[in-house]
Short mmCIF file of all heavy atoms in Angstrom, two decimals:
data_model
loop_
_atom_site.label_atom_id
_atom_site.label_comp_id
_atom_site.label_asym_id
_atom_site.label_seq_id
_atom_site.Cartn_x
_atom_site.Cartn_y
_atom_site.Cartn_z
N GLY Z 1 0.80 -1.21 0.00
CA GLY Z 1 0.00 0.01 0.00
C GLY Z 1 0.85 1.26 0.00
O GLY Z 1 0.51 2.26 -0.66
N LYS Z 2 1.95 1.22 0.74
CA LYS Z 2 2.85 2.38 0.76
C LYS Z 2 3.49 2.61 -0.60
O LYS Z 2 3.51 3.74 -1.10
CB LYS Z 2 3.93 2.16 1.80
CG LYS Z 2 4.91 3.33 1.98
CD LYS Z 2 5.89 3.02 3.09
CE LYS Z 2 6.82 4.22 3.37
NZ LYS Z 2 7.65 4.58 2.21
N LEU Z 3 3.94 1.53 -1.22
CA LEU Z 3 4.62 1.67 -2.51
C LEU Z 3 3.65 2.02 -3.63
O LEU Z 3 3.96 2.84 -4.49
CB LEU Z 3 5.34 0.36 -2.84
CG LEU Z 3 6.47 -0.05 -1.90
CD1 LEU Z 3 6.96 -1.46 -2.24
CD2 LEU Z 3 7.60 0.94 -1.95
N ALA Z 4 2.49 1.36 -3.65
CA ALA Z 4 1.56 1.50 -4.77
C ALA Z 4 0.62 2.68 -4.64
O ALA Z 4 0.10 3.17 -5.65
CB ALA Z 4 0.75 0.23 -4.93
N ALA Z 5 0.40 3.18 -3.42
CA ALA Z 5 -0.61 4.22 -3.24
C ALA Z 5 -0.12 5.39 -2.39
O ALA Z 5 -0.06 6.54 -2.87
CB ALA Z 5 -1.86 3.62 -2.60
N SER Z 6 0.24 5.14 -1.15
CA SER Z 6 0.52 6.25 -0.21
C SER Z 6 1.65 7.15 -0.67
O SER Z 6 1.54 8.37 -0.62
CB SER Z 6 0.85 5.68 1.17
OG SER Z 6 -0.26 4.96 1.69
N ASP Z 7 2.76 6.54 -1.11
CA ASP Z 7 3.90 7.37 -1.52
C ASP Z 7 3.54 8.27 -2.70
O ASP Z 7 3.93 9.44 -2.74
CB ASP Z 7 5.10 6.47 -1.91
CG ASP Z 7 5.83 5.92 -0.69
OD1 ASP Z 7 5.52 6.35 0.44
OD2 ASP Z 7 6.71 5.06 -0.88
N HIS Z 8 2.79 7.72 -3.66
CA HIS Z 8 2.40 8.53 -4.82
C HIS Z 8 1.42 9.62 -4.39
O HIS Z 8 1.55 10.77 -4.84
CB HIS Z 8 1.77 7.66 -5.91
CG HIS Z 8 1.40 8.47 -7.12
ND1 HIS Z 8 2.35 8.96 -8.00
CD2 HIS Z 8 0.21 8.89 -7.59
CE1 HIS Z 8 1.74 9.65 -8.96
NE2 HIS Z 8 0.44 9.61 -8.73
N CYS Z 9 0.47 9.29 -3.54
CA CYS Z 9 -0.50 10.33 -3.09
C CYS Z 9 0.20 11.45 -2.36
O CYS Z 9 -0.14 12.62 -2.53
CB CYS Z 9 -1.54 9.68 -2.19
SG CYS Z 9 -2.74 8.65 -3.08
N ARG Z 10 1.20 11.09 -1.57
CA ARG Z 10 1.93 12.09 -0.81
C ARG Z 10 2.67 13.05 -1.74
O ARG Z 10 2.74 14.26 -1.52
CB ARG Z 10 2.93 11.40 0.13
CG ARG Z 10 3.66 12.35 1.09
CD ARG Z 10 4.64 11.58 1.96
NE ARG Z 10 3.95 10.69 2.89
CZ ARG Z 10 3.93 9.36 2.79
NH1 ARG Z 10 4.57 8.75 1.80
NH2 ARG Z 10 3.29 8.64 3.67
N ALA Z 11 3.22 12.50 -2.83
CA ALA Z 11 4.04 13.30 -3.75
C ALA Z 11 3.23 13.95 -4.87
O ALA Z 11 3.76 14.78 -5.60
CB ALA Z 11 5.13 12.43 -4.35
N ALA Z 12 1.97 13.55 -5.02
CA ALA Z 12 1.21 13.98 -6.20
C ALA Z 12 -0.17 14.53 -5.83
O ALA Z 12 -1.16 14.23 -6.47
CB ALA Z 12 1.05 12.81 -7.17
N VAL Z 13 -0.20 15.38 -4.81
CA VAL Z 13 -1.47 16.00 -4.41
C VAL Z 13 -2.07 16.77 -5.56
O VAL Z 13 -3.28 16.71 -5.83
CB VAL Z 13 -1.30 16.89 -3.17
CG1 VAL Z 13 -2.59 17.62 -2.85
CG2 VAL Z 13 -0.86 16.06 -1.97
N ALA Z 14 -1.23 17.52 -6.29
CA ALA Z 14 -1.72 18.36 -7.39
C ALA Z 14 -2.36 17.48 -8.47
O ALA Z 14 -3.41 17.84 -9.02
CB ALA Z 14 -0.60 19.19 -7.97
N GLU Z 15 -1.73 16.35 -8.77
CA GLU Z 15 -2.30 15.45 -9.79
C GLU Z 15 -3.64 14.87 -9.34
O GLU Z 15 -4.62 14.84 -10.09
CB GLU Z 15 -1.34 14.32 -10.12
CG GLU Z 15 -1.93 13.38 -11.16
CD GLU Z 15 -0.98 12.24 -11.56
OE1 GLU Z 15 -0.38 11.60 -10.67
OE2 GLU Z 15 -0.85 12.00 -12.76
N MET Z 16 -3.70 14.42 -8.07
CA MET Z 16 -4.96 13.86 -7.57
C MET Z 16 -6.07 14.92 -7.57
O MET Z 16 -7.21 14.63 -7.84
CB MET Z 16 -4.77 13.31 -6.16
CG MET Z 16 -3.85 12.08 -6.08
SD MET Z 16 -4.46 10.67 -7.05
CE MET Z 16 -3.26 10.60 -8.36
N ARG Z 17 -5.68 16.16 -7.27
CA ARG Z 17 -6.66 17.24 -7.29
C ARG Z 17 -7.20 17.45 -8.70
O ARG Z 17 -8.41 17.67 -8.89
CB ARG Z 17 -6.02 18.52 -6.76
CG ARG Z 17 -6.99 19.69 -6.62
CD ARG Z 17 -6.34 20.89 -5.96
NE ARG Z 17 -7.34 21.89 -5.61
CZ ARG Z 17 -7.10 22.93 -4.81
NH1 ARG Z 17 -5.90 23.09 -4.25
NH2 ARG Z 17 -8.07 23.78 -4.52
N GLU Z 18 -6.32 17.39 -9.70
CA GLU Z 18 -6.75 17.58 -11.09
C GLU Z 18 -7.66 16.42 -11.53
O GLU Z 18 -8.66 16.66 -12.20
CB GLU Z 18 -5.51 17.66 -12.00
CG GLU Z 18 -4.67 18.89 -11.77
CD GLU Z 18 -4.56 19.72 -13.04
OE1 GLU Z 18 -5.42 19.59 -13.94
OE2 GLU Z 18 -3.63 20.53 -13.09
N LEU Z 19 -7.31 15.21 -11.15
CA LEU Z 19 -8.15 14.07 -11.51
C LEU Z 19 -9.51 14.16 -10.83
O LEU Z 19 -10.56 13.85 -11.45
CB LEU Z 19 -7.45 12.77 -11.11
CG LEU Z 19 -6.16 12.41 -11.86
CD1 LEU Z 19 -5.52 11.16 -11.26
CD2 LEU Z 19 -6.42 12.19 -13.35
N ASP Z 20 -9.52 14.60 -9.59
CA ASP Z 20 -10.77 14.78 -8.86
C ASP Z 20 -11.67 15.81 -9.55
O ASP Z 20 -12.89 15.59 -9.73
CB ASP Z 20 -10.47 15.22 -7.42
CG ASP Z 20 -11.70 15.57 -6.63
OD1 ASP Z 20 -12.44 14.68 -6.23
OD2 ASP Z 20 -11.94 16.80 -6.42
N ALA Z 21 -11.09 16.92 -9.98
CA ALA Z 21 -11.86 17.97 -10.65
C ALA Z 21 -12.41 17.47 -12.00
O ALA Z 21 -13.55 17.76 -12.37
CB ALA Z 21 -11.00 19.21 -10.86
N ALA Z 22 -11.59 16.69 -12.71
CA ALA Z 22 -12.03 16.16 -14.01
C ALA Z 22 -13.16 15.14 -13.82
O ALA Z 22 -14.13 15.12 -14.60
CB ALA Z 22 -10.86 15.52 -14.72
N PHE Z 23 -13.08 14.32 -12.77
CA PHE Z 23 -14.14 13.37 -12.52
C PHE Z 23 -15.43 14.09 -12.10
O PHE Z 23 -16.53 13.65 -12.45
CB PHE Z 23 -13.75 12.33 -11.47
CG PHE Z 23 -14.44 11.01 -11.65
CD1 PHE Z 23 -13.84 10.00 -12.38
CD2 PHE Z 23 -15.70 10.78 -11.12
CE1 PHE Z 23 -14.48 8.79 -12.59
CE2 PHE Z 23 -16.35 9.58 -11.32
CZ PHE Z 23 -15.74 8.57 -12.05
N ALA Z 24 -15.27 15.17 -11.36
CA ALA Z 24 -16.45 15.96 -10.99
C ALA Z 24 -17.17 16.49 -12.23
O ALA Z 24 -18.41 16.58 -12.26
CB ALA Z 24 -16.04 17.10 -10.07
N LYS Z 25 -16.42 16.85 -13.25
CA LYS Z 25 -17.02 17.32 -14.50
C LYS Z 25 -17.81 16.18 -15.17
O LYS Z 25 -18.90 16.41 -15.74
CB LYS Z 25 -15.96 17.85 -15.45
CG LYS Z 25 -15.43 19.22 -15.06
CD LYS Z 25 -14.65 19.84 -16.19
CE LYS Z 25 -14.28 21.28 -15.86
NZ LYS Z 25 -13.70 21.99 -17.00
N LEU Z 26 -17.26 14.98 -15.12
CA LEU Z 26 -18.02 13.84 -15.64
C LEU Z 26 -19.34 13.67 -14.90
O LEU Z 26 -20.39 13.42 -15.51
CB LEU Z 26 -17.19 12.57 -15.50
CG LEU Z 26 -16.15 12.22 -16.58
CD1 LEU Z 26 -15.48 10.91 -16.21
CD2 LEU Z 26 -16.76 12.13 -17.94
N ARG Z 27 -19.28 13.80 -13.59
CA ARG Z 27 -20.50 13.63 -12.78
C ARG Z 27 -21.56 14.66 -13.12
O ARG Z 27 -22.77 14.36 -13.06
CB ARG Z 27 -20.15 13.71 -11.29
CG ARG Z 27 -19.31 12.55 -10.78
CD ARG Z 27 -19.13 12.59 -9.28
NE ARG Z 27 -20.43 12.52 -8.61
CZ ARG Z 27 -20.62 12.75 -7.31
NH1 ARG Z 27 -19.60 13.09 -6.56
NH2 ARG Z 27 -21.82 12.62 -6.77
N ARG Z 28 -21.15 15.85 -13.48
CA ARG Z 28 -22.13 16.89 -13.81
C ARG Z 28 -22.90 16.59 -15.09
O ARG Z 28 -23.95 17.19 -15.34
CB ARG Z 28 -21.42 18.25 -13.93
CG ARG Z 28 -20.98 18.80 -12.57
CD ARG Z 28 -20.76 20.31 -12.64
NE ARG Z 28 -19.54 20.64 -13.35
CZ ARG Z 28 -18.33 20.70 -12.79
NH1 ARG Z 28 -18.19 20.39 -11.51
NH2 ARG Z 28 -17.29 21.05 -13.52
N ARG Z 29 -22.42 15.65 -15.87
CA ARG Z 29 -23.18 15.23 -17.07
C ARG Z 29 -24.36 14.34 -16.72
O ARG Z 29 -25.25 14.14 -17.53
CB ARG Z 29 -22.22 14.53 -18.05
CG ARG Z 29 -21.27 15.52 -18.74
CD ARG Z 29 -20.07 14.83 -19.38
NE ARG Z 29 -20.43 13.75 -20.29
CZ ARG Z 29 -19.52 12.96 -20.85
NH1 ARG Z 29 -18.23 13.11 -20.58
NH2 ARG Z 29 -19.90 12.00 -21.69
N LYS Z 30 -24.39 13.81 -15.51
CA LYS Z 30 -25.53 13.01 -15.01
C LYS Z 30 -25.89 13.53 -13.62
O LYS Z 30 -25.67 12.83 -12.61
CB LYS Z 30 -25.17 11.51 -14.97
CG LYS Z 30 -24.98 10.88 -16.33
CD LYS Z 30 -26.30 10.76 -17.09
CE LYS Z 30 -26.09 10.10 -18.44
NZ LYS Z 30 -27.36 10.02 -19.21
N PRO Z 31 -26.43 14.73 -13.51
CA PRO Z 31 -26.64 15.36 -12.21
C PRO Z 31 -27.57 14.61 -11.28
O PRO Z 31 -27.50 14.75 -10.07
CB PRO Z 31 -27.23 16.74 -12.56
CG PRO Z 31 -27.76 16.58 -13.94
CD PRO Z 31 -26.87 15.60 -14.63
N GLY Z 32 -28.45 13.77 -11.82
CA GLY Z 32 -29.38 13.04 -10.97
C GLY Z 32 -28.84 11.71 -10.49
O GLY Z 32 -29.55 10.99 -9.75
N PHE Z 33 -27.61 11.36 -10.87
CA PHE Z 33 -27.05 10.05 -10.50
C PHE Z 33 -26.37 10.15 -9.13
O PHE Z 33 -25.37 10.86 -8.98
CB PHE Z 33 -26.07 9.57 -11.56
CG PHE Z 33 -25.50 8.20 -11.29
CD1 PHE Z 33 -26.27 7.08 -11.55
CD2 PHE Z 33 -24.23 8.05 -10.75
CE1 PHE Z 33 -25.76 5.80 -11.28
CE2 PHE Z 33 -23.72 6.79 -10.51
CZ PHE Z 33 -24.49 5.66 -10.77
N GLY Z 34 -26.91 9.46 -8.13
CA GLY Z 34 -26.35 9.54 -6.79
C GLY Z 34 -25.13 8.68 -6.61
O GLY Z 34 -25.07 7.54 -7.10
N MET Z 35 -24.15 9.19 -5.87
CA MET Z 35 -22.93 8.42 -5.54
C MET Z 35 -22.60 8.64 -4.07
O MET Z 35 -21.63 9.29 -3.69
CB MET Z 35 -21.77 8.89 -6.44
CG MET Z 35 -21.98 8.63 -7.91
SD MET Z 35 -20.64 9.20 -8.99
CE MET Z 35 -19.27 8.17 -8.46
N PRO Z 36 -23.46 8.08 -3.16
CA PRO Z 36 -23.29 8.34 -1.71
C PRO Z 36 -21.97 7.82 -1.14
O PRO Z 36 -21.35 8.49 -0.30
CB PRO Z 36 -24.50 7.64 -1.09
CG PRO Z 36 -24.97 6.64 -2.10
CD PRO Z 36 -24.66 7.26 -3.43
N ALA Z 37 -21.53 6.62 -1.58
CA ALA Z 37 -20.26 6.10 -1.05
C ALA Z 37 -19.10 6.96 -1.51
O ALA Z 37 -18.18 7.26 -0.74
CB ALA Z 37 -20.07 4.64 -1.52
N TRP Z 38 -19.12 7.36 -2.78
CA TRP Z 38 -18.08 8.24 -3.32
C TRP Z 38 -18.00 9.52 -2.51
O TRP Z 38 -16.92 9.95 -2.09
CB TRP Z 38 -18.37 8.54 -4.78
CG TRP Z 38 -17.31 9.36 -5.49
CD1 TRP Z 38 -17.13 10.71 -5.40
CD2 TRP Z 38 -16.30 8.87 -6.36
NE1 TRP Z 38 -16.07 11.10 -6.18
CE2 TRP Z 38 -15.54 10.00 -6.79
CE3 TRP Z 38 -15.96 7.62 -6.85
CZ2 TRP Z 38 -14.46 9.88 -7.66
CZ3 TRP Z 38 -14.88 7.49 -7.72
CH2 TRP Z 38 -14.13 8.63 -8.12
N GLU Z 39 -19.14 10.15 -2.25
CA GLU Z 39 -19.17 11.40 -1.51
C GLU Z 39 -18.64 11.22 -0.10
O GLU Z 39 -17.93 12.07 0.44
CB GLU Z 39 -20.57 12.00 -1.51
CG GLU Z 39 -20.96 12.69 -2.80
CD GLU Z 39 -19.97 13.82 -3.14
OE1 GLU Z 39 -19.65 14.65 -2.26
OE2 GLU Z 39 -19.52 13.86 -4.30
N LYS Z 40 -19.03 10.11 0.53
CA LYS Z 40 -18.63 9.88 1.93
C LYS Z 40 -17.12 9.71 2.06
O LYS Z 40 -16.48 10.31 2.92
CB LYS Z 40 -19.36 8.67 2.48
CG LYS Z 40 -19.17 8.50 3.99
CD LYS Z 40 -20.08 7.40 4.54
CE LYS Z 40 -19.90 7.28 6.05
NZ LYS Z 40 -20.80 6.22 6.61
N VAL Z 41 -16.53 8.88 1.18
CA VAL Z 41 -15.09 8.67 1.28
C VAL Z 41 -14.34 9.91 0.86
O VAL Z 41 -13.28 10.26 1.42
CB VAL Z 41 -14.65 7.42 0.47
CG1 VAL Z 41 -14.76 7.65 -1.02
CG2 VAL Z 41 -13.22 7.01 0.82
N ARG Z 42 -14.86 10.66 -0.11
CA ARG Z 42 -14.22 11.90 -0.56
C ARG Z 42 -14.20 12.94 0.55
O ARG Z 42 -13.21 13.62 0.79
CB ARG Z 42 -14.95 12.44 -1.79
CG ARG Z 42 -14.32 13.66 -2.45
CD ARG Z 42 -15.05 13.97 -3.74
NE ARG Z 42 -14.47 15.12 -4.43
CZ ARG Z 42 -14.90 16.37 -4.29
NH1 ARG Z 42 -15.93 16.62 -3.48
NH2 ARG Z 42 -14.33 17.34 -4.96
N LYS Z 43 -15.33 13.08 1.28
CA LYS Z 43 -15.44 14.07 2.35
C LYS Z 43 -14.66 13.67 3.60
O LYS Z 43 -14.46 14.51 4.49
CB LYS Z 43 -16.91 14.32 2.67
CG LYS Z 43 -17.64 15.07 1.57
CD LYS Z 43 -19.10 15.26 1.90
CE LYS Z 43 -19.84 16.02 0.79
NZ LYS Z 43 -21.29 16.15 1.04
N SER Z 44 -14.23 12.41 3.66
CA SER Z 44 -13.47 11.97 4.84
C SER Z 44 -12.04 12.53 4.81
O SER Z 44 -11.36 12.55 5.84
CB SER Z 44 -13.43 10.45 4.90
OG SER Z 44 -12.64 9.91 3.84
N ALA Z 45 -11.59 12.96 3.63
CA ALA Z 45 -10.21 13.51 3.49
C ALA Z 45 -10.23 15.02 3.73
O ALA Z 45 -11.26 15.67 3.55
CB ALA Z 45 -9.70 13.20 2.10
N PRO Z 46 -9.12 15.60 4.12
CA PRO Z 46 -9.02 17.05 4.22
C PRO Z 46 -9.25 17.71 2.86
O PRO Z 46 -9.20 17.04 1.81
CB PRO Z 46 -7.56 17.29 4.71
CG PRO Z 46 -7.15 16.00 5.33
CD PRO Z 46 -7.86 14.92 4.56
N SER Z 47 -9.50 19.01 2.84
CA SER Z 47 -9.68 19.72 1.58
C SER Z 47 -8.39 19.71 0.80
O SER Z 47 -7.30 19.49 1.32
CB SER Z 47 -10.09 21.16 1.85
OG SER Z 47 -9.00 21.90 2.35
#
């Protein structure tokens, strides 16, 4: 987990932020589609 995920997340906050914003744009194409688990895990992290 450290090698495959944590180390990259620590070094690539800007990239993860860009991917998050791009996925949010995809979601806006289906505004009525609920993603409660996605929202819960996303909101568990700091801004």
Side-chain angles (χ1 to χ4, degrees):
K2 182 177 185 297
L3 297 172
S6 298
D7 283 352
H8 182 72
C9 287
R10 186 181 293 108
V13 174
E15 179 178 47
M16 293 300 111
R17 185 174 191 167
E18 293 240 20
L19 294 174
D20 173 74
F23 208 93
K25 285 194 172 188
L26 277 180
R27 292 186 61 191
R28 288 200 287 274
R29 286 162 54 186
K30 292 290 181 182
F33 183 77
M35 297 178 65
W38 184 281
E39 281 303 312
K40 189 171 182 180
V41 69
R42 185 172 181 266
K43 289 177 180 177
S44 69
S47 72

